[in-house]
Amino acid sequence: MKYLVTGAAGFIGSHVCHRLLALGHQVIGLDIINDYYDVNLKYARLERLATLDNFSLVTIALEDRVSVAALFAKEQFNRVIHLAAQAGVRYSIENPHAYIDSNITGTMTILEGCRHHKVEHLVYASSSSVYGMNSKLPFATSDSVDHPVSLYAATKKSNELMAHTYSHLYNIPTTGLRFFTVYGPWGRPDMALFLFTKAIVEGKPINVFNQGEMSRDFTYIDDIVEGIIRVQDQIPSANPSWQQEFGTPNESSAPYRVFNIGNNQPVKLMTFIETIEQALDKKATLNMMPMQAGDVAATYANIDDLHQLTGFTPATDLTTGINNFISWYREYYNT
């Protein structure tokens, strides 16, 4: 089949492209390659993809609706995996307009492309951040997600609402995946594992927010990709018997679904740091700090419905995942 993968130069997107190509599909990657973090890392990911058959890249902005519409018309994609977004909870406080342009307007152009060219399944990235002020653990897709605490989270919740509207109005099958703290080789430099590893290697202190009283459902990249590949083959269908009064918010009478995709095993932040220290054989200098605006104290994914549908079960433990990342980091940066 022919796939569009948006965010192909990104962490998750590049891994998904590799997996689809290994399965024999044709992949058109879309990425504007912005400078939110080191563009050299993005180009290095793309260089690996460029050596593979059946991959090509287009560098257009998601919010460029004319160019995106032309791309859909030309390529006639079978399926779309929409992973491109302006990422980062804390950055959304500093630069809110970037999130509206990329995450709201950009997702709109993708939905319009799917609408006009009969894409058989749109899988898109949501986020665990949509749970916002929810204090019930683990987070379940049946929970309310009406109280986000960052603009980034609000845009991801908006994406789910937009997808539902298009599923309802135009019968477009859509599946949203709420990612939980993805980590692994080729990861993002703004994420905790990358930041901590770099600082410890360089002998610099690491910022530990909320005085270390945090936990995250860290999910290894290979597990995330496995979940994406499994779910994109499970195309949702309309369920006329579904009723809002008795149904759950992750389903609908329209061909629409939302799943958590996480490790289903939260880890305390201090345990996470200790595991990095052990892998590097070097202690960290800790700079204990208060909770940051827009952050939450804990995330924990209930993945029962995803497992029931696809058989998805995370396979990578934290120690293995961190060691894999650090092996890549040492090789890539020659440290």
Side-chain angles (χ1 to χ4, degrees), residues 232-247:
Q232 59 87 31
D233 276 332
Q234 301 288 334
I235 301 174
S237 57
N239 178 11
S241 64
W242 183 90
Q243 293 179 285
Q244 182 172 334
E245 294 83 356
F246 308 106

Side-chain angles (χ1 to χ4, degrees), residues 196-209:
F196 291 172
T197 298
K198 183 175 187 292
I200 295 169
V201 167
E202 295 175 356
K204 297 177 181 178
I206 64 174
N207 292 329
V208 182
F209 295 108

Side-chain angles (χ1 to χ4, degrees), residues 28-103:
I28 311 295
L30 182 152
D31 206 299
I32 194 60
I33 315 175
N34 70 21
D35 61 358
Y36 169 64
Y37 61 79
D38 182 15
V39 296
N40 293 318
L41 179 58
K42 296 182 179 183
Y43 282 120
R45 293 176 184 140
L46 290 172
E47 285 173 8
R48 296 173 68 234
L49 286 168
T51 64
L52 304 176
D53 293 335
N54 294 322
F55 176 80
S56 59
L57 177 73
V58 290
T59 52
I60 57 179
L62 278 175
E63 57 267 31
D64 181 349
R65 62 187 183 186
V66 173
S67 296
V68 172
L71 178 67
F72 271 87
K74 175 186 176 183
E75 298 294 348
Q76 297 296 316
F77 302 108
N78 299 110
R79 297 180 184 176
V80 174
I81 300 178
H82 175 41
L83 303 172
Q86 178 57 59
V89 168
R90 293 174 188 133
Y91 187 64
S92 70
I93 295 171
E94 301 168 21
N95 192 4
H97 292 288
Y99 290 77
I100 301 303
D101 292 342
S102 181
N103 300 5

Side-chain angles (χ1 to χ4, degrees), residues 12-34:
I12 300 174
S14 62
H15 281 274
V16 168
C17 288
H18 275 280
R19 182 67 181 276
L20 289 171
L21 293 165
L23 292 170
H25 301 296
Q26 181 182 355
V27 177
I28 311 295
L30 182 152
D31 206 299
I32 194 60
I33 315 175
N34 70 21

Side-chain angles (χ1 to χ4, degrees), residues 208 211-214 268-275 277 286 288:
V208 182
Q211 310 300 323
E213 294 298 318
M214 309 270 275
K268 291 186 178 297
L269 180 58
M270 297 310 298
T271 301
F272 184 67
I273 293 168
E274 290 165 5
T275 307
E277 291 174 326
L286 308 182
M288 308 304 279

Side-chain angles (χ1 to χ4, degrees), residues 185-197:
W186 298 95
R188 278 172 32 203
D190 63 322
M191 297 292 283
L193 178 55
F194 202 115
L195 290 169
F196 291 172
T197 298

